[in-house]
Amino acid sequence: MSDDFEKAVLINFNYGGNINPQLKEQAAAYIASIKQSSDCWKLCCERFPATLYPEVKFWCLQSLHEVICACYLQLDEGSRQMIKGALLTWLQRDCTSESPALPPFLRNKLAQAIVAVVKREYPALWPSFFRELVAAAGSGPGLADMFGRIMVAVDEDVISLDIPRSAEETKLSMHLKDSMREQCIAEVAAAWFNLTQLYKASRPELAAFVLASAARYVHWMDIGLVANDRFIPLLGELMDHANPALRGAATDVLAEVVSKRMEPTAKIALVQQLKVVDACERLSSNLIAAAGANKAAAAAALAVGGCGEKAKQGGGAAGGGGAGVSAAALDQDDELLGKYAKLLATLASEVMDALKRVENVVISFNVTGLGVDDDAARDATLAAQAANRLLEALTRAALTAFCSGLDTISMPLVPFMSAYVARLRALTKRGQALPAGAQMHIQAVLEGVAAAARYPADGANEADDGSGGPGLGAAAAAAAGSRARLSDAEMLAAREEQWEVEERRRELLEQSAIPAVLHLFLGPKGLGHPSPGVATRACYLLSRLVKTLRSNLKPYMDEMLRQLQPYLVVVATQPPPQGPAVGTAREASGKNLAPVTALVDDRLYVFESVGLLLGQEELPAEQQLAALHSLLQPLQRQIEGNLQQAAAEAGAGRGSGSSSSSGGAGLAQLGSGSWVILQAMEAIARLNKGFKWELCTRNRPQLGAAFLQCLEVSLAVPKALPGSKQLRARFIAFLHRMVESLMATVLPYLPAALEALMAREADVTDMTDVLTLLVQLITRFKEALGKLVEVVLPIAVARVHGLLASDFGQLWLSQGVPSATRNMRGYKTSIIALHCAAGVCAIIVIGIAAYSLAEVNKASRQVNQYLQQSMEYLQGLGLDTVDWMQEADVARKVPWVDWMQEADVARP
C-alpha cells in the first residue's frame, strides 16, 4: 500500500502533461479515499519521516493540517499527543540538520501545522509553547529559522486582522494576544534581539528574517520591549549594514515603532528617544544619490540589453546576462529605497499629527471657555516646540527625497505632502503665522510633483520648455530605462496630483507667483494637455483658483481671456473623447433643481472661470459688456444654427435622447446637433454664475438684457424638440439659472416657456418636472405670478386628466386592481400620475398663500372641485381611494407638504 500511496501522490503532483489523464484521475480518487479515512493522520505520521520524496512529505503535512483544523479537538488525548509529538520531532530533527536541508516550502507547511495545534491548545492546554519555542531557537540556525517561520504563521493564521475573519476568529485573535502579553511576549522580544545580534554578521539573511517577523508584532505589544536602550541602537546599526535585506528589515521595525498609536506627547518623546531624526537628512541625501544611481543603472541595462524587454530578463541569450543582473539588483535596491522613503514619511506624518493633536487640545479648551492650568499649558508648549523642531527637520528631509524623481521614493511621501499643504491652509484660515520657509516648501512640493510626472517614450511626451516642467524627451526616457514606460494611469495620476497641489496652495500665493501658476494652468501642460482626464481636471481646479483669487487676477484678466479663447471654442463645440455623456446634474450637485437627464461636462468649468472674472463690478462697464457679448453671441448662434439638424435627427429616430427617462439610454443616443445645443445652453448658464443679480438688474441692466436675449433664443429649443428629454432638462436647468440671476425680469418669458414645456408630447415625468418648476416659481415670486397661474392652471389640469385617462385608467380598467398592483411598471406609472395631480393641487394651495384674501374662496372652490373630480374618477374605476392611497403609501410621495412649508403656507 505504501508504494501505491507514494506513486499515487507523485502522479497527482505531476503537472507536466506526460501522465495518462485516466491514470491521473484514478490516482486522485485513490488519494481522496485515503483522506476520507479516519486513520489518515496515522498514515501521515508514518510516511513523513520514511519517504524521500518532497511531494509526499508535503502531502502528509497538508493532510495533517487539514485533520487538525477539522477535528483535532474531537480526537482522544492519545491521538492528539501522537500528532503533537510527531510535529515537534520533525521540528527538532529535520530542521536542525543542514545536510540535507528541509526545503523552505516544507518548513513553512510544518510551521503552519504546528500553529494549527497552538491555535487550539494555547494557553489552556499548552501554556509553555512560546517559552519552549524561544528556548529551542537558540539551538542553531535551523531552529532560529523555524522560530521566525512559526511567528509569521501565528500572525497570519491567528492574530492579524488585516485578513478577513469571523467573529469567533476575531475573539480568538484577541484572546491569544492578551495571553501572550501576560505570559511570554517579553521572552519572545528578547529572542528577536538575541537572534538578530547573533546572526547579523554570520547569517545576515537569517537575522533579517527574524527582524521581519518582529515587525508584525510591534503594533500591539508593549512598545518598551522594542523602544529601549538595547534594541534601538541595534536597529540604528543595522540600517548601515552591508546586507540590503537586513537594512530593510531594520527600517520596517523602526517604521512600525514610530507608527504605533499613543498619546501625542508620548509620541513626540518616543521620536526624540529614537534619535533618528538627525539621520533623516543624511538618509534623504542617500535617497537622492541612490535615485541617480538607479537611473544610471537603468540606462546601462537598457544599453546592454538593447531594449527594455531584454533588460528585464534575468539572463538568457548571449549579451543579455549582464542586463539581467543589473535589472535584478535594481529591483532589490528599489524595494529598499521604498522602505527608506516609507520610514521618512511615517516619521514626518506622525510628528505632524502629534503636533496637530497637541494644538487642537489647547484650541478646544479655549473655545469651550475652559481654563488650562499652568502645568498643562507648560507641557503643551514644550511638546509643541519640540514637535515643531522635529517637523522642520523632517520636512526638509522629506522634500529633498520627494524631488528625487523616482516613483519608489516619491509615492510613499505623497500623503505627507498633501497633509503638510493642508496644515498650511488651516494655519492660514486661523490667522496664525506660517512656519519659516513655508513658501519655499510649497515650491519644493511642486517641483517634486513635476519631477514625478513623467510620460512613456511611446506616449504623450511633452517637450521641455525650460520652465522646469515635468516633460521628458527621448533621451530622458532612455536614461530612465524601462521604468519610464509606466502605465498611463500612473503618469496621469501624478499630473492630476500636481494640479491638486497647485490649486490647494492658492491661498498662500503671493502676487508675484500668480503669473507662473497661470502659465501652468493655461499652457499645454494644463488645459491644453493631451490627456482628457488631466485637461478636464485642470478646468475644474482653475475655477476654484479663480473663485478664491478673483480680485487678485484682475491685472491678468485680458491675457487670461485671450489664452482661454481657444479652449472655450473647443469645449463648446467638440465632445470629449469618451462621448457626450459625461455625467448627470444630480451626480455633480446635491441640489435637485434639474431633472436627472441633464448632462454635465466638467470641462464647462472653464466657462464658470470666465464668468467669475467678468462678473466683477469693478470692471469698466463698456469693457465688461463688450467681453460678455463676444462670448454670448457665438453661443446663441450655435443654438439657432443647430435646431434644424437636431430636429432632423429627432425625426429620423436618432439623436433625440428621448428613449429613457432616467437619462442612461437617451444620453448614449444623443445626436451631434442636440449635443452642441446642450453644451451652448450650459456654457451660458456657467458664465451667468459669475454675475450677481444686483449687477444684472440694478447696477448694469444691460448685462441682464444680454442674458435675457439668450433666454429668448433658448425658448425655441423645447418648441422645436418637445420630445427630447435631455433638451427639456437642460432648458429647465437653464431657466432656473436665469431666475437666480435676473429675478423678476424673466417673468415676461415664463408663459412661453411653460407653454412649450406642457406640449402634447409631454408624459407624466415631464409634467412632474414642469409642475415642480411652477411651484418653485410661485414660492419665489408669489403674487407677481398670480395672473400666470390663472392662465396655466386650466392647461395643467387638462394635461393631468389626459395623462390619467391614458396611462392610469386604461391600465386599471384592462387588468384590474390586483393584477395591476403586481405589475410594478404600471404601478410606478400610476404613482407618477397621481404625483402630477397632487402637484396641481399644491399649486392652487400655494396660490392661496400668495394671493389676497379676496381670492381665497375662489381658490378653495377650485381645490375642492378638482379633488372631487379626481376622487370620482378613481371611484369610477372601482377603487376605494382611502384604502388604496394608504396601501400605495402615496402620502410619502405627495410633495405638497414640503412645498407648503417652503412657501410659508402653514401659517393660519
Side-chain angles (χ1 to χ4, degrees), residues 115 118 129-130 133 147-160 173 176-177 180-181 184-185 188-189 192 209-223 225-226 252-253 256-257 260:
V115 170
V118 173
F129 168 75
F130 286 102
L133 180 64
F147 168 77
R149 294 180 191 274
I150 290 175
M151 296 307 298
V152 169
V154 168
D155 178 69
E156 291 182 346
D157 294 352
V158 186
I159 293 179
S160 176
S173 170
L176 191 143
K177 286 192 292 186
M180 289 184 68
R181 288 190 189 102
C184 63
I185 195 63
V188 172
W192 283 322
F209 181 59
V210 170
L211 269 186
S213 68
R216 297 169 173 263
Y217 290 78
V218 172
H219 70 280
W220 60 264
M221 60 187 284
D222 182 4
I223 194 62
L225 297 175
V226 179
D252 285 340
V253 174
E256 290 294 334
V257 170
K260 188 172 176 64

Side-chain angles (χ1 to χ4, degrees), residues 1-10 30 47 53 56:
M1 176 181 176
S2 297
D3 290 340
D4 292 341
F5 162 70
E6 290 193 354
K7 290 179 182 179
V9 171
L10 293 174
Y30 179 68
R47 296 305 303 167
Y53 296 105
V56 178

Side-chain angles (χ1 to χ4, degrees), residues 20-242:
N20 187 304
Q22 185 177 2
L23 179 62
K24 193 162 188 177
E25 289 181 3
Q26 293 176 354
Y30 179 68
I31 293 298
S33 66
I34 293 176
K35 277 193 173 184
Q36 293 175 358
S37 171
S38 60
D39 294 333
C40 175
W41 65 269
K42 294 181 181 179
L43 177 65
C44 295
C45 292
E46 293 173 0
R47 296 305 303 167
F48 181 88
T51 185
L52 299 177
Y53 296 105
E55 296 89 343
V56 178
K57 288 181 179 291
F58 181 82
W59 187 92
C60 291
L61 288 172
Q62 185 179 41
S63 300
L64 202 57
H65 179 262
E66 292 174 0
V67 169
I68 295 170
C69 292
C71 58
Y72 180 78
L73 295 179
Q74 283 73 44
L75 297 175
D76 60 82
E77 178 66 21
S79 299
R80 295 201 301 267
Q81 289 299 327
M82 286 182 61
I83 292 175
K84 188 163 65 172
L87 293 174
L88 294 179
T89 299
W90 302 337
L91 173 67
Q92 295 177 357
R93 183 190 63 200
D94 297 339
C95 295
T96 56
S97 174
E98 298 187 11
S99 179
L102 203 62
F105 70 93
L106 290 180
R107 288 172 174 262
N108 288 335
K109 202 65 185 178
L110 177 59
Q112 192 176 16
I114 292 174
V115 170
V117 175
V118 173
K119 182 178 180 179
R120 287 153 182 81
E121 291 200 348
Y122 181 83
L125 302 177
W126 198 357
S128 61
F129 168 75
F130 286 102
R131 291 193 178 93
E132 294 173 4
L133 180 64
V134 168
S139 302
L143 289 176
D145 174 79
M146 285 304 298
F147 168 77
R149 294 180 191 274
I150 290 175
M151 296 307 298
V152 169
V154 168
D155 178 69
E156 291 182 346
D157 294 352
V158 186
I159 293 179
S160 176
L161 296 181
D162 293 336
I163 302 171
R165 302 191 188 279
S166 65
E168 191 65 30
E169 290 173 332
T170 302
K171 182 179 178 181
L172 178 62
S173 170
M174 301 299 295
H175 178 61
L176 191 143
K177 286 192 292 186
D178 290 340
S179 301
M180 289 184 68
R181 288 190 189 102
E182 294 175 2
Q183 298 181 8
C184 63
I185 195 63
E187 289 88 341
V188 172
W192 283 322
F193 173 82
N194 293 330
L195 293 175
T196 303
Q197 184 78 12
L198 178 62
Y199 294 110
K200 66 181 181 180
S202 60
R203 296 175 179 268
E205 297 290 343
L206 176 56
F209 181 59
V210 170
L211 269 186
S213 68
R216 297 169 173 263
Y217 290 78
V218 172
H219 70 280
W220 60 264
M221 60 187 284
D222 182 4
I223 194 62
L225 297 175
V226 179
N228 53 49
D229 295 338
R230 297 174 66 229
F231 225 123
I232 294 302
L234 175 62
L235 295 175
E237 175 190 345
L238 296 180
M239 289 185 67
D240 293 327
H241 199 278

Side-chain angles (χ1 to χ4, degrees), residues 354-499:
L355 174 60
K356 183 172 70 173
R357 289 161 64 189
V358 170
E359 293 174 340
N360 287 344
V361 168
V362 177
I363 292 173
S364 62
F365 270 90
N366 293 334
V367 169
T368 56
L370 299 177
V372 181
D373 60 63
D374 295 340
D375 292 340
R378 182 172 59 256
D379 292 343
T381 301
L382 293 175
Q385 290 174 351
N388 274 311
R389 289 193 299 269
L390 294 172
L391 183 60
E392 178 64 23
L394 290 169
T395 301
R396 287 197 305 267
L399 290 172
T400 302
F402 190 60
C403 296
S404 65
L406 194 64
D407 292 345
T408 308
I409 299 173
S410 301
M411 294 309 293
L413 292 165
V414 168
F416 168 70
M417 297 303 162
S418 298
Y420 181 72
V421 173
R423 171 173 170 77
L424 296 182
R425 294 179 59 197
L427 292 176
T428 303
K429 288 182 178 180
R430 293 202 296 258
Q432 298 180 1
L434 295 178
Q439 291 286 345
M440 296 178 61
H441 291 170
I442 290 294
Q443 186 65 32
V445 171
L446 295 176
E447 290 174 359
V449 174
R454 300 193 307 277
Y455 295 87
D458 54 351
N461 282 325
E462 301 175 8
D464 190 352
D465 57 4
S467 63
L472 277 186
S482 60
R483 289 190 58 77
R485 293 181 173 85
L486 301 175
S487 68
D488 288 344
E490 291 175 320
M491 295 169 195
L492 298 182
R495 174 60 78 182
E496 292 186 21
E497 182 70 21
Q498 179 186 11
W499 295 121

